[in-house]
Amino acid sequence: MSNHSEAQSVHLQHHFVDSDQQFDAAKLGMWVFIVNEILFFGGLFCAYIVFRAWYPELFTMAAKELKPLWGAINTLVLIGSSLTVAMAIRSAQKNQIKGLQINLLITIALACVFLLIKYFEYSHKLHIGIWPGADLYTYEGVDHPLAHVFFSIYYIMTGIHALHIIVGIGLMIWMYIRAKRNEFGSEYYTPVEMTGLYWHLVDVIWIFLFPLLYLIE
Amino acid sequence: MSEHNHEHHISSAGQLWAIGIALTFLTILTVGLSFVEIPAPFDIITALTIAIGKAFLVAAFFMNLYWDDKFNSLLLIGAFVFFILMVSVTLLDTLYRVEVIPTF
């Protein structure tokens, strides 16, 4: 272990044998968290499946209120941000701290674009009376007695997803500040890698939300 | 794994861009197919197959599962299996009710 460099020993916690073991342990923990997230969203997808099986015509009719163009643009925005976060990790691995910072900034910008589009979608719907919940829902454009049920599912699934985007922006600002302080490099970039895993998970969830909500014929 | 100076996998920029472009192409494909009349169950099956393909690309090459300790892949597959189990058991109830009257 004498050949370990200075940078490694600064970050190595005493209860790990070496930084590889520390890195793998962190990654395993992150994957357990991702399993938890999948099953958390899984409950919401389960509700979606139950209601779609009960009222298939409701989903066909109500989904016409969602604009596939905006959903598609947001899908491409998130795919782009997944790419830049992967590039950020690559920059850290290659000790290119400037590249790491730039890629994190682009990712934050793309995440904000996603939220901005979501904001316009939400505000348009709320404006015409599409609110979640039977009591608040006043829109008459969908000729189905349970139209509000579809939009409750829509708001909860996309809303919790948007909450994850906001958390992700916070994490990436934190990573950017730490990168600015020169805390990362090819020897130590574990937090950047974990933030990346989280961000890809958020991307994957949207990959499923998009066809299931926006692309119903 | 336990060797010293073990190198983490570093994807080339070209590799990452290729995955990004593949994901973009699959997004355009799934939007395009939504305008084509595909009979009832197969439209959902097509859309979900494309979505699973995209999720696989992200998990394998952006989340690095392809080069990782296979135990992490096992966790992901396990999550998926338990999700299917949750949905199946729920549907065994909700699909076979005599009357669906949830009140809202």
Side-chain angles (χ1 to χ4, degrees), chain B residues 31-98:
Chain B
V31 173
L33 282 176
S34 74
F35 292 105
V36 182
E37 280 298 325
I38 303 171
F42 298 105
D43 48 353
I44 307 170
I45 292 169
T46 322
L48 280 182
T49 308
I50 295 173
I52 289 169
K54 288 165 77 180
F56 173 81
L57 286 179
V58 173
F61 301 110
F62 277 173
M63 298 170 103
N64 280 340
L65 279 181
Y66 185 76
W67 296 280
D68 246 9
D69 188 346
K70 290 291 168 265
F71 189 72
N72 293 341
S73 306
L74 189 69
L75 285 175
L76 180 62
I77 294 165
F80 194 69
V81 168
F82 276 95
F83 168 67
I84 299 294
L85 189 68
M86 168 164 64
V87 171
S88 314
V89 174
T90 309
L91 287 178
L92 279 177
D93 166 12
T94 61
L95 280 185
Y96 298 99
R97 290 185 186 179
V98 183

Side-chain angles (χ1 to χ4, degrees), chain A residues 3 20 23-24 27-28 31 35 38 42-43 46 51-52 54 79 83 87 90 93 189 197 200 217, chain B residues 1 5-6 8-12 16-17 27 34 36 44 63 65 68 72 75-76 83 86 94 100 104:
Chain A
N3 58 354
D20 280 338
F23 181 82
D24 289 335
K27 211 165 189 184
L28 175 63
W31 272 104
V35 167
I38 289 171
C46 188
F51 281 99
R52 186 157 179 185
W54 272 343
I79 287 171
L83 176 61
M87 294 296 254
R90 179 184 143 78
Q93 287 171 323
Y189 59 92
L197 284 177
H200 294 311
E217 282 154 57
Chain B
M1 286 276 346
N5 302 324
H6 152 86
H8 295 152
H9 173 80
I10 304 179
S11 304
S12 74
L16 294 174
W17 273 98
T27 304
S34 74
V36 182
I44 307 170
M63 298 170 103
L65 279 181
D68 246 9
N72 293 341
L75 285 175
L76 180 62
F83 168 67
M86 168 164 64
T94 61
V100 185
F104 297 101

Side-chain angles (χ1 to χ4, degrees), chain A residues 69-139:
Chain A
L69 177 67
W70 291 118
I73 290 173
N74 260 351
T75 309
L76 296 178
V77 166
L78 277 194
I79 287 171
S81 71
S82 257
L83 176 61
T84 54
V85 108
M87 294 296 254
I89 292 165
R90 179 184 143 78
S91 301
Q93 287 171 323
K94 295 181 67 97
N95 235 344
Q96 298 159 345
I97 303 308
K98 198 79 207 154
L100 167 64
Q101 292 171 9
I102 292 169
N103 277 305
L104 282 172
L105 285 181
I106 300 172
T107 312
I108 294 167
L110 288 171
C112 291
V113 170
F114 179 93
L115 284 181
L116 191 70
I117 291 176
K118 212 84 213 96
Y119 166 77
F120 284 127
E121 284 188 285
Y122 279 170
S123 57
H124 169 71
K125 282 187 196 67
L126 295 174
H127 182 71
I128 59 173
I130 298 178
W131 283 69
D135 298 331
L136 297 169
Y137 186 90
T138 52
Y139 184 61

